[in-house]
Amino acid sequence: MKIHEYQAKEILRKYGVPVPGGEMAMTIEQAETAAKSLFSAGNAAVVVKAQIHAGGRGKGGGVKVVKTLDDAVARSKDILGMQLVTHQTGPAGQKVQRLLIEEGSAIDRELYLGLVLDRASAKIVFMASQSGGMEIEEVAHATPELIYKEYIEPAVGFQPYQARRLAFKLGLLPTQINDAVKFMTGLYKAFVDTDSTLMEINPFITTKDGKLLALDCKINFDDNAMFRHKDLKELRDLAEEDPLEVEASKYALNYIKLDGSIACMVNGAGLAMATMDIIEYAGGKAANFLDVGGGANQEQIENAFGILLSDKNVKAIFINIFGGILRVDVLATAVVAAAKKLNVQLPIILRLEGTNVEEGRKILAESGLKFEVGATMKEAADLAVAAAKG
Amino acid sequence: MAVLVDKNTRLIVQGITGREGTFHAKGCSEYSKQFGYDIVVGGVTPGKGGTTHEGWPVFNTVEEAVNATGANATVIFVPPPFAADGILEAAASDIPLVICITEGIPTLDMVKVWEIVKSSKSTLIGPNCPGVISPGKAKIGIMPGRIHKEGSVGIVSKSGTLTYEAVYQLTTRGIGQSTAIGIGGDPIIGTTHIDALKLLNEDPETEAIIMIGEIGGSAEEAAAKYIAEFVKKPVVGFIAGQTAPPGRRMGHAGAIISGGEGTAAEKMKAMEAAGIHVVKSPAEIGEAMARVLGKG
């Protein structure tokens, strides 16, 4: 689960990690009030920052530094409501519906701090780099030796000596080391307490007067752990997510919207990915990823059809089911009932295999509905591509 | 001889009185009964010790169950909030094989568990996996036994249904399997591709191996290196998620391309460089294995 920068900074504040003062605004009036109070508190500069769930906001024109209240209002008007396009949003961009109005900082150095899971060692790794403000992936690619890492033993947690090692490698001043240890320890504690999977401070800055500050912050939470974080769950901003994905999540369907024309309904995540792959080899493009799970019943198939049919790009539906525990005849009955009930008009191509497949095919043939059945996954993919091209 | 699971397996089920636990305890039991024995010897549900469930004795703790039944394997069907605790309890009882089917365990729970399990006497398979089957001998897990056939192809895979798919393609071509190991789709798993490959490589009954991976992490790249160096048996490989968009979690908690790492293209390149017969289409796994074995 992703959250906004301003929400992430509120979490950091609770853990004693210094962040610039600021306020979230959803209207120009709120933005003006926030900017006014920052200027009257003596700030020479204020930053207007677009809040969307994607990186690269500055380059896309979503972050502006202003020196006057008039400018703050003007820039807020520019940014609020704009379609912000970054390398992470795709060409359509993401509509900006929230701003963070924040005090400007006198930046001395821009550094990077990050916490992430290292799968190979099964440990959380604390990363630091002197190349703040850059995409860490680029740094990792070009100069991996300039990313400093500390692997954290889960039994004892992040240790002060590890923070000191990172701080000295970042070239922080002796007078900044104690603050850096507090800063990093706070981050680690926040990471663990919130069941995060990623926490990035980019840039992590030193100011001209020697202070340390989290100028930006990105946090992702572990979806699997949200059952024990009711408060964090409320930070979810549905406006940032695809409406069909939000709808699918209500039915516990594992659905991801893509931009092709062949809708897929599959059981199992691996087979669902493989189905997208085989559609591409057949010359088409999948409209979605959808795993209906191993225990799909008629209701769940109906819900799935409902989601797939709401995608206006869809020209054909490809159902690829391997019946293991889930018997093919049971599934075929559910598909027929759901298709009849929802009066599905689009071509439906099925590929069914596994337990009771003969009975399943018979149910489809006798349904009176026009299903096309592919004998193999490859043949069904070809049929689906042909049907989508119509 | 196969690996991990065979006629000598004595299995307990953690969460045996639950719906899933009951259903699959019966499945594992019935599968082995076809061959004249029952591998399931009991189960664990805290608070229900001393009772019987579907004829099996139920114990309060794994320790009690192991002592009373001589179990050498456990399968975990405990809900996600309690599953990590279930794994730790199993490892604390020195039971040699722990298979965790549960999907949805918080990652930080697994970070804590992993270190402890590694230094224990237990081998953990999963979590978020279908389990392990040695066709013609025994199965521990949720896979459909019927589609399998006893033979000499070993399988290691992150994905459940995709494994069934590969098995089915083999069986319908008359090619049997020695052991199919579902290692699971989570970012942190007890047995990795390399661990499973080692077992299959050392198993005299396994003549060839199918390795199925998916996007996310770099375990397949590491496995490819291992194969290049140590595995002389032919390997057929497939990676799911070649068309998956970056930054999106594709169903499995571990299936995500992030920071440019974990793409299918990188994995396939590393696997090809290691001499693995990589197929691009999931429909070609069986065919490729038949060719490799000279049966195509």
Side-chain angles (χ1 to χ4, degrees):
Chain A
M1 187 185 126
K2 294 177 178 176
I3 58 170
H4 287 294
E5 175 195 2
Y6 79 90
Q7 296 167 323
K9 283 177 168 170
E10 275 164 27
I11 291 171
L12 294 193
R13 228 175 251 133
K14 281 186 203 149
Y15 285 86
V17 178
V19 297
E23 266 177 68
M24 191 274 282
M26 295 184 79
T27 64
I28 300 299
E29 292 70 36
Q30 288 172 358
E32 185 174 3
T33 310
K36 197 183 273 177
S37 85
L38 289 174
F39 279 121
S40 55
N43 286 292
V46 164
V47 191
V48 180
K49 302 184 88 173
Q51 300 292 290
I52 59 167
H53 286 181
R57 292 167 295 157
K59 280 183 199 143
V63 179
K64 298 288 176 196
V65 180
V66 294
K67 296 276 168 58
T68 66
L69 185 58
D70 284 350
D71 259 3
V73 173
R75 295 291 85 79
S76 295
K77 280 180 179 162
D78 293 344
I79 297 173
L80 196 62
M82 81 185 281
Q83 285 292 128
L84 182 52
V85 180
T86 82
H87 66 287
Q88 287 183 2
T89 59
Q94 177 71 35
K95 190 176 180 188
V96 180
Q97 307 193 54
R98 298 176 193 216
L99 298 173
L100 172 60
I101 309 297
E102 198 173 70
E103 59 189 23
S105 305
I107 302 172
D108 183 27
R109 297 182 66 207
E110 291 191 64
L111 310 166
Y112 169 95
L113 292 177
L115 280 154
V116 68
L117 175 77
D118 178 69
R119 296 189 192 201
S121 64
K123 288 184 172 67
I124 298 165
V125 57
F126 208 130
M127 299 187 292
S129 150
Q130 300 206 14
S131 308
M134 280 175 68
E135 288 289 324
I136 196 68
E137 291 83 31
E138 288 170 25
V139 182
H141 191 71
T143 50
E145 70 283 3
L146 294 182
I147 296 178
Y148 312 114
K149 291 181 179 173
E150 291 290 337
Y151 293 84
I152 301 167
E153 287 297 333
V156 294
F158 186 60
Q159 296 297 301
Y161 82 87
Q162 295 182 297
R164 288 196 301 275
R165 290 213 294 217
L166 292 175
F168 282 112
K169 282 176 186 159
L170 286 176
L172 293 180
L173 304 171
T175 50
Q176 292 171 324
I177 298 302
N178 284 344
D179 282 349
V181 172
K182 261 190 233 157
F183 193 110
M184 292 184 212
T185 306
L187 280 185
Y188 172 72
K189 195 155 188 322
F191 184 95
V192 172
D193 284 358
T194 58
D195 270 297
S196 291
T197 54
L198 172 83
M199 192 172 274
E200 271 189 324
I201 310 297
N202 192 16
F204 161 55
I205 63 159
T206 63
T207 61
K208 295 240 157 61
D209 56 356
K211 291 205 177 72
L212 307 177
L213 213 50
L215 205 59
D216 195 2
C217 179
K218 177 181 176 180
I219 299 179
N220 292 350
F221 299 132
D222 180 0
D223 293 326
N224 285 348
M226 286 299 104
F227 67 84
R228 59 190 178 204
H229 298 289
K230 300 269 184 293
D231 51 333
L232 298 178
K233 247 167 128 173
E234 283 166 19
L235 299 178
R236 187 171 168 201
D237 182 0
L238 296 180
E240 291 290 319
E241 297 174 31
D242 183 276
L244 284 180
E245 291 181 16
V246 173
E247 186 68 14
S249 69
K250 287 182 198 157
Y251 306 117
L253 287 169
N254 232 323
Y255 170 89
I256 293 174
K257 167 117 171 56
L258 303 168
D259 50 12
S261 62
I262 300 170
C264 315
M265 193 189 299
V266 190
N267 65 328
L271 191 59
M273 276 189 270
T275 303
M276 290 159 46
D277 296 344
I278 202 165
I279 287 172
E280 180 141 311
Y281 283 110
K285 246 187 141 196
N288 64 278
F289 166 95
L290 173 62
D291 170 14
V292 291
N297 53 21
Q298 186 184 327
E299 195 189 343
Q300 199 68 340
I301 303 279
E302 270 178 34
N303 293 335
F305 266 126
I307 302 285
L308 299 183
L309 294 170
S310 314
D311 179 349
K312 296 302 164 215
N313 296 330
V314 168
K315 301 275 190 295
I317 298 174
F318 181 7
I319 302 180
N320 186 9
I321 300 287
F322 193 94
I325 300 300
L326 174 69
R327 291 188 350 242
V328 174
D329 54 333
V330 173
L331 180 105
T333 308
V335 168
V336 168
K340 278 187 178 163
K341 191 172 165 192
L342 296 171
N343 191 24
V344 180
Q345 296 296 328
L346 290 172
I348 299 178
I349 298 89
L350 293 107
R351 181 272 180 168
L352 305 170
E353 207 57 86
T355 313
N356 293 3
V357 63
E358 293 309 325
E359 291 88 332
R361 287 188 180 146
K362 202 167 154 232
I363 290 164
L364 294 176
E366 291 168 358
S367 69
L369 295 171
K370 271 195 282 170
F371 295 114
E372 287 190 77
V373 180
T376 64
M377 218 193 306
K378 170 82 172 64
E379 191 185 308
D382 288 338
L383 286 171
V385 171
K389 284 183 178 153
Chain B
M1 121 175 194
V3 300
L4 295 168
V5 182
D6 59 25
K7 65 178 176 19
N8 299 315
T9 298
R10 292 175 65 80
L11 179 70
I12 54 167
V13 178
Q14 285 173 254
I16 194 166
T17 55
R19 193 171 55 94
E20 297 278 304
T22 303
F23 182 79
H24 293 296
K26 284 186 192 164
C28 296
S29 170
E30 279 158 19
Y31 187 76
S32 61
K33 277 183 185 166
Q34 300 174 71
F35 315 115
Y37 44 87
D38 185 354
I39 65 162
V40 181
V41 295
V44 178
T45 298
K48 293 194 178 162
T51 64
T52 58
H53 183 73
E54 302 282 345
W56 288 300
V58 179
F59 301 90
N60 283 320
T61 66
V62 175
E63 187 180 29
E64 273 175 40
V66 170
N67 288 341
T69 65
N72 55 19
T74 176
V75 61
I76 300 176
F77 286 100
V78 174
F82 319 108
D85 186 51
I87 296 172
L88 289 175
E89 183 180 0
S93 313
D94 290 342
I95 195 160
L97 182 63
V98 181
I99 298 185
C100 184
I101 308 296
T102 308
E103 173 171 11
I105 302 178
T107 302
L108 289 185
D109 286 6
M110 282 310 299
V111 168
K112 286 179 198 147
V113 164
W114 197 86
E115 198 70 43
I116 295 167
V117 170
K118 281 288 143 180
S119 57
S120 77
K121 291 177 184 159
S122 302
T123 295
L124 172 66
I125 310 274
N128 191 10
C129 78
V132 179
I133 182 168
S134 297
K137 300 181 178 74
K139 76 159 195 167
I140 303 179
I142 61 173
M143 68 291 282
R146 288 174 287 251
I147 61 169
H148 296 78
K149 173 183 161 70
E150 191 171 3
S152 62
V153 174
I155 302 176
V156 47
S157 168
K158 274 182 180 174
S159 148
T161 40
L162 207 43
T163 312
Y164 311 161
E165 182 71 47
V167 164
Y168 195 75
Q169 289 179 22
L170 292 178
T171 299
T172 49
R173 284 177 171 78
I175 302 170
Q177 307 93 41
S178 52
T179 303
I181 309 170
I183 59 174
D186 271 2
I188 298 181
I189 48 178
T191 294
T192 62
H193 272 112
I194 292 187
D195 301 326
L197 285 165
K198 264 183 207 165
L199 294 173
L200 295 173
N201 195 35
E202 286 160 15
D203 173 32
E205 203 176 300
T206 300
E207 286 172 29
I209 298 168
I210 291 176
M211 169 177 152
I212 298 173
E214 63 191 29
I215 55 162
S218 56
E220 289 85 352
E221 287 91 325
K225 269 189 200 153
Y226 179 83
I227 287 170
E229 196 167 350
F230 298 108
V231 179
K232 300 288 168 262
K233 299 174 183 180
V235 181
V236 170
F238 173 74
I239 300 291
Q242 297 162 46
T243 55
R248 301 304 308 269
R249 216 167 276 286
M250 308 302 284
H252 286 155
I256 180 168
I257 300 167
S258 60
E261 192 197 67
T263 63
E266 274 173 50
K267 292 177 191 295
M268 290 163 77
K269 205 174 119 193
M271 287 161 70
E272 269 163 9
I276 298 170
H277 304 269
V278 179
V279 295
K280 287 185 176 168
S281 160
E284 289 165 10
I285 299 171
E287 213 176 292
M289 183 48 82
R291 244 191 340 264
V292 164
L293 295 175
K295 294 179 184 170

